[in-house]
Amino acid sequence: MSTLEIRNLYVSVNTENGSVDILKGVDLTIKSGETHAIMGPNGSGKSTLAYSIAGHPKYTIVGGSVILDGADVLAMSVDERAKAGLFLAMQYPVEVPGVSVSNFLRTAATALRGEAPKLRTWVGEVKAAMEALNMDPIFASRNVNEGFSGGEKKRHEIMQLELLRPKIAILDETDSGLDVDALRIVSEGVNRAKESNNLGVVLITHYTRILKYIRPDFVHVFANGRIVEEGGADLADKLEAHGYADYVSK
């Protein structure tokens, strides 16, 4: 069992007009096997939370703490956070020219496991993951995300999730840009990873369509840099029906 504890987190970002406060005291606890949906209007701080936990240099931690299994996440470098068990699936996955998908994945697995996976076993793992995500095997030899469609990039993110087996996964608008079939396939991949590894999931989204496939245990509504309401899966249905207008002024 793992626990990610976020306590009284304040985060700012530097802009052309100076420092702007984005998160204004966020408290959140995610445990193994739990799925937390974070919803809210644009600019409410959802993605800021994700990238701050992952260690993006654009964001400045003004106050608060992030603790994973007793270890201070904010004192770790980006790679140390990944090795500790944190995983971020980005809304806009970046391209990595010159690095093949197969080399990228095996290098990452080696760093996390402390030794290189046995080649024959690893090839089987990658093949099975690609088949489950309906990915053409040729993608293994292509450069990371280079020339991939939006849906292909998201499938590759979930393939990483299944193969690297983190403790806590933060999925930043993984449903963005996916058609109906891709949404189902990607969601099934998240569910497999959760079930096989007792994964804790933070699912950031604007819409409830992905929540029809990945059922949340908890829903948190973000507005103006804070969590303004929390509940179960029925809260997402309320948001679908009524939107965020009631929360924006809170």
Side-chain angles (χ1 to χ4, degrees):
M1 291 289 293
S2 291
T3 302
L4 180 67
E5 297 177 274
I6 302 163
R7 292 289 175 265
N8 203 29
L9 188 64
Y10 283 77
V11 176
S12 66
V13 62
N14 291 323
T15 70
E16 294 178 355
N17 299 317
S19 180
V20 176
D21 295 331
I22 305 296
L23 298 186
K24 304 169 185 177
V26 173
D27 291 288
L28 189 62
T29 299
I30 302 99
K31 297 181 179 180
S32 295
E34 295 179 347
T35 297
H36 294 251
I38 295 181
M39 306 183 71
N42 288 326
S44 58
K46 303 185 302 299
S47 292
T48 296
L49 176 67
Y51 287 100
S52 298
I53 294 171
H56 196 296
K58 174 181 176 182
Y59 301 97
T60 301
I61 308 299
V62 178
S65 63
V66 181
I67 305 296
L68 177 62
D69 296 338
D72 183 0
V73 171
L74 300 181
M76 300 177 186
S77 62
V78 172
D79 63 312
E80 287 171 340
R81 298 180 198 206
K83 289 178 181 178
L86 292 175
F87 178 92
L88 173 65
M90 295 179 284
Q91 182 180 0
Y92 304 109
V94 298
E95 297 182 0
V96 187
V99 179
S100 71
V101 167
S102 60
N103 285 340
F104 169 77
L105 289 171
R106 193 160 189 256
T107 299
T110 299
L112 291 172
R113 301 179 188 184
E115 61 180 6
K118 293 183 178 179
L119 190 56
R120 181 177 298 178
T121 304
W122 179 247
V123 169
E125 288 185 52
V126 173
K127 181 180 179 181
M130 296 186 79
E131 287 178 351
L133 290 163
N134 284 7
M135 294 182 71
D136 190 320
I138 198 171
F139 278 94
S141 61
R142 291 177 59 180
N143 292 337
V144 173
N145 292 327
E146 195 170 38
F148 287 22
S149 69
E152 289 163 349
K153 289 179 179 180
K154 297 301 177 69
R155 293 186 199 205
H156 179 223
E157 294 272 275
I158 302 308
M159 183 167 68
Q160 295 172 46
L161 177 64
E162 293 200 71
L163 291 170
L164 301 180
R165 304 169 191 165
K167 297 175 181 177
I168 304 291
I170 304 167
L171 312 180
D172 186 21
E173 298 195 35
T174 294
D175 52 340
S176 176
L178 297 182
D179 62 29
V180 174
D181 291 330
L183 177 64
R184 175 183 53 81
I185 291 168
V186 163
S187 298
E188 289 172 352
V190 175
N191 289 332
R192 279 195 305 273
K194 179 183 175 183
E195 291 170 9
S196 62
N197 301 316
N198 199 27
L199 180 67
V201 177
V202 179
L203 182 62
I204 297 172
T205 183
H206 286 292
Y207 307 108
T208 60
R209 64 176 192 152
I210 194 171
L211 303 183
K212 293 178 172 63
Y213 298 99
I214 304 173
R215 198 65 176 164
D217 301 295
F218 307 94
V219 175
H220 311 272
V221 183
F222 263 55
N224 300 317
R226 298 182 176 91
I227 296 175
V228 294
E229 187 167 349
E230 298 175 295
D234 57 333
L235 178 54
D237 298 329
K238 174 185 173 183
L239 295 173
E240 178 74 7
H242 302 289
Y244 301 113
D246 292 342
Y247 303 102
V248 172
S249 60
K250 290 188 178 183

